[in-house]
Amino acid sequence: FIEADDVLVAIGQENSFPWIERDLGIEFDKWELPVLDAVTFQSTLPNVFFGGDAAFGPKNVITAVVQGHQAAISIDLFCNGQSLTDRP
């Protein structure tokens, strides 16, 4: 069990994050997408991860599933205090 204030599941056609306060430590690029590590999907706020279309913008369903899976691996490693770069 891991305590969380919020867990968001998003299904949609476009990325829009106006509800994320800009002073939390999550950086956004010129297209208003979160700045992420390309391997771990970790944002500039270390305990926040993005996956699927929310990570690098809409591509196709297969890419979204793969990115979501990679983000989930990172979240599991993070929650278990392990290095995010030591991936299975």
Side-chain angles (χ1 to χ4, degrees), residues 2 37 39-42 46-47 49 69-88:
I2 297 175
D37 181 280
V39 174
T40 67
F41 295 83
Q42 185 177 41
N47 61 340
F49 297 81
H69 183 243
Q70 291 303 314
I73 289 171
S74 293
I75 292 166
D76 182 64
L77 291 169
F78 182 85
C79 289
N80 286 293
Q82 298 174 341
S83 170
L84 300 185
T85 57
D86 291 337
R87 307 183 75 74

Side-chain angles (χ1 to χ4, degrees), residues 43-76:
S43 74
T44 53
L45 183 60
N47 61 340
V48 175
F49 297 81
F50 289 81
D53 290 350
F56 297 106
K59 303 271 190 283
N60 61 51
V61 69
I62 295 169
T63 301
V65 170
V66 169
Q67 290 176 347
H69 183 243
Q70 291 303 314
I73 289 171
S74 293
I75 292 166
D76 182 64

Side-chain angles (χ1 to χ4, degrees), residues 2-9 19 21 24 47-49 75:
I2 297 175
E3 187 175 324
D5 292 330
D6 295 296
V7 175
L8 302 174
V9 178
W19 48 270
E21 297 172 25
L24 295 177
N47 61 340
V48 175
F49 297 81
I75 292 166

Side-chain angles (χ1 to χ4, degrees), residues 14-26:
E14 65 181 67
N15 292 336
S16 179
F17 302 103
W19 48 270
I20 296 179
E21 297 172 25
R22 294 309 196 241
D23 62 349
L24 295 177
I26 300 173

